[in-house]
Amino acid sequence: MKKWLPWIIAAIALGLLGGGIWRGLRTQQERKEALALAEQAKAQAVYQLAVSDVVTISQQLLPLTLPISGTVQAVNTATIKARVAGELQQLSLREGDNVQAGQVIARVDGTESTARLAQARQQADAARAQRDIQQRQYDNNRALVDQGFISATALQASQSQLQSAQSNYQAALSAADVLKKTLNDTVLRSPIAGQVAKKWVSNGEKVGPDAPVLDVVDLRQLELIVQLSPADSLQVQVGQHAQMQVDGSLQTVQAQVARINPAANSASRSVTIYLRIKNGSADDSANNLLAASAQPLRSGLYLQGRLALGSVQALAIPLSAVRTDKPEPYVQLMMPQGDRYVVRHQTVSLGERILRDGVTWVVITQGLAAQQQVLSGQVGQLREGSLVGLATKAL
């Protein structure tokens, strides 16, 4: 009896192990069947959508724009330079100060120029006196010739001396005029009304001819300098409008194409266009000058925005409705099936992206037709073949 006991125990163990394996396989099969039923139920579930979740494809009138960027530059600028050498005096202006056209902004020490002008004027007075002496001598000699006391040759010599004295006098006057201009050049004036943009030197410094003293800019007339590629430049015409923004700011600036450079840059082949920006009044009065100085735009600021080129009629949808989680872009197309719709993933070919009223639209070149309906981007991804119902049909 004891010999059969191990075999009985082994048989019982094998039976229990087989039963456990069978129950495990049964449980796994039941789970698979449950998952399959859940997937089938999910596939047959009808997603109820609102009208706002559907986009009806149609021809859209979209604005054509060109992204541009550039630097603001004042139309009227002036660099005031010294015209004579000397010590700079009476320069009290600083960056940001307003100046008027013709205003004296500084002087160069004119002591030497004043002395030279006085000397030249004295020399001119002496030459005039010598001329007067020769004039009287000539008049007397002419009277003596008429009376026969002296010869005609003596009169000609007297006339030559008079002409020489007159020439010396005119030369002395010209020399005095030159020195007068040199003295006037010691006074530096602003040729335009505007604001001081840069101060190059300070009082007491020695300056030479053509040494820069101040830069003055007129902020009331600004223009935007933009570099374009050859292809983009072909689309630009004088008179087109652009909406720009200061880099890092939400404030918009209106600009208009004023000029187009007729020649491309020889190195980069880029074409320069100039957009006019109105920045204050063109009146030269002090009040308007101060008002212009309060404008936010300054010379040298960087602007970026879009240039309006026109409009185009094209089949387009919001870019948010296009999905890119597959190798090729696609949309979730709604195919009618009775009173419901079936979702189909339709591959599309995309064209130009255009911003209109804060929404980015994309032109559809292939894959869709007018009046078809697709799910908007806010719905999210649905499985292909999913059933969709609408509370009210989309128009």
Side-chain angles (χ1 to χ4, degrees):
M1 185 69 179
K2 292 182 180 179
K3 294 180 179 181
W4 294 100
L5 183 61
W7 294 100
I8 294 173
I9 295 174
I12 295 173
L14 287 175
L16 292 175
L17 179 61
I21 293 174
W22 180 82
R23 284 193 299 271
L25 293 175
R26 175 93 178 164
T27 302
Q28 186 176 6
Q29 182 65 26
E30 290 176 351
R31 288 179 179 176
K32 289 182 178 180
E33 292 176 356
L35 288 174
L37 291 175
E39 291 292 334
Q40 184 178 3
K42 184 177 180 181
Q44 294 177 350
V46 178
Y47 296 90
Q48 294 296 328
L49 302 178
V51 177
S52 59
D53 296 329
V54 178
V55 177
T56 302
I57 303 170
S58 63
Q59 292 285 335
Q60 299 286 333
L61 184 62
L62 301 174
L64 288 178
T65 59
L66 178 68
I68 60 174
S69 60
T71 304
V72 177
Q73 175 179 291
V75 175
N76 297 320
T77 63
T79 298
I80 304 173
K81 298 181 178 181
R83 286 172 285 186
V84 295
E87 180 183 328
L88 193 66
Q89 300 173 344
Q90 301 180 19
L91 179 59
S92 60
L93 295 174
R94 296 176 295 178
E95 286 87 349
D97 287 341
N98 295 312
V99 295
Q100 299 296 329
Q103 177 181 337
V104 176
I105 60 102
R107 297 178 186 271
V108 176
D109 184 15
T111 303
E112 183 178 351
S113 298
T114 302
R116 288 183 177 180
L117 177 59
Q119 182 183 14
R121 285 176 174 173
Q122 291 171 359
Q123 291 174 346
D125 291 340
R128 182 179 60 182
Q130 191 64 32
R131 183 206 61 178
D132 293 342
I133 293 173
Q134 293 298 330
Q135 181 68 49
R136 289 192 296 269
Q137 184 69 33
Y138 173 74
D139 293 339
N140 292 335
N141 289 340
R142 188 171 58 181
L144 292 175
V145 168
D146 293 340
Q147 296 174 8
F149 290 107
I150 61 174
S151 64
T153 302
L155 180 61
Q156 291 176 355
S158 179
Q159 185 178 10
S160 297
Q161 293 174 354
L162 174 60
Q163 290 175 349
S164 177
Q166 289 176 337
S167 298
N168 290 336
Y169 176 57
Q170 293 299 326
L173 288 178
S174 298
D177 289 340
V178 170
L179 291 174
K180 182 180 180 181
K181 182 184 182 303
T182 302
L183 181 60
N184 290 336
D185 287 344
T186 60
V187 180
L188 305 182
R189 301 177 183 272
S190 175
I192 63 172
Q195 290 178 276
V196 177
K198 186 173 181 61
K199 183 178 179 180
W200 292 92
V201 293
S202 301
N203 276 327
E205 292 188 34
K206 294 287 187 179
V207 295
D210 291 330
V213 178
L214 291 179
D215 285 345
V216 178
V217 297
D218 185 357
L219 297 180
R220 293 167 296 177
Q221 291 184 347
L222 300 177
E223 61 184 10
L224 182 66
I225 313 300
V226 176
Q227 303 291 335
L228 294 180
S229 66
D232 289 339
S233 66
L234 298 178
Q235 308 177 65
V236 180
Q237 298 179 0
V238 174
Q240 291 175 334
H241 293 267
Q243 185 168 320
M244 312 297 298
Q245 287 183 330
V246 179
D247 190 26
S249 171
L250 297 178
Q251 182 176 356
T252 59
V253 178
Q254 302 299 324
Q256 184 178 16
V257 178
R259 308 188 317 278
I260 302 176
N261 197 316
N265 185 284
S266 59
S268 63
R269 301 301 177 188
S270 61
V271 178
T272 305
I273 65 171
Y274 304 86
L275 292 88
R276 183 186 303 110
I277 302 173
K278 188 175 181 182
N279 197 37
S281 173
D283 194 345
D284 288 335
S285 64
N287 291 336
N288 285 326
L289 183 61
L290 291 174
S293 66
Q295 295 289 333
L297 291 185
R298 294 290 182 267
S299 181
L301 287 180
Y302 182 79
L303 300 185
Q304 54 186 354
R306 306 191 74 86
L307 177 65
L309 302 177
S311 59
V312 62
Q313 192 85 16
L315 200 68
I317 61 174
L319 181 60
S320 59
V322 179
R323 302 194 63 84
T324 57
D325 51 283
K326 290 185 177 182
E328 294 182 331
Y330 69 95
V331 296
Q332 300 185 102
L333 183 64
M334 297 172 56
M335 303 297 296
Q337 189 180 76
D339 59 346
R340 298 175 181 175
Y341 297 89
V342 177
V343 175
R344 192 181 81 187
H345 292 179
Q346 176 64 44
T347 301
V348 292
S349 297
L350 306 180
E352 186 177 2
R353 300 182 182 185
I354 300 173
L355 182 65
R356 185 187 71 181
D357 300 331
V359 177
T360 301
W361 294 77
V362 60
V363 176
I364 303 298
T365 58
Q366 277 187 335
L368 295 177
Q371 300 307 314
Q372 288 184 315
Q373 295 176 324
V374 299
L375 299 182
S376 65
Q378 64 187 9
V379 175
Q381 183 184 21
L382 296 182
R383 183 190 300 271
E384 190 168 14
S386 298
L387 295 179
V388 173
L390 295 180
T392 303
K393 285 189 177 181
L395 299 178

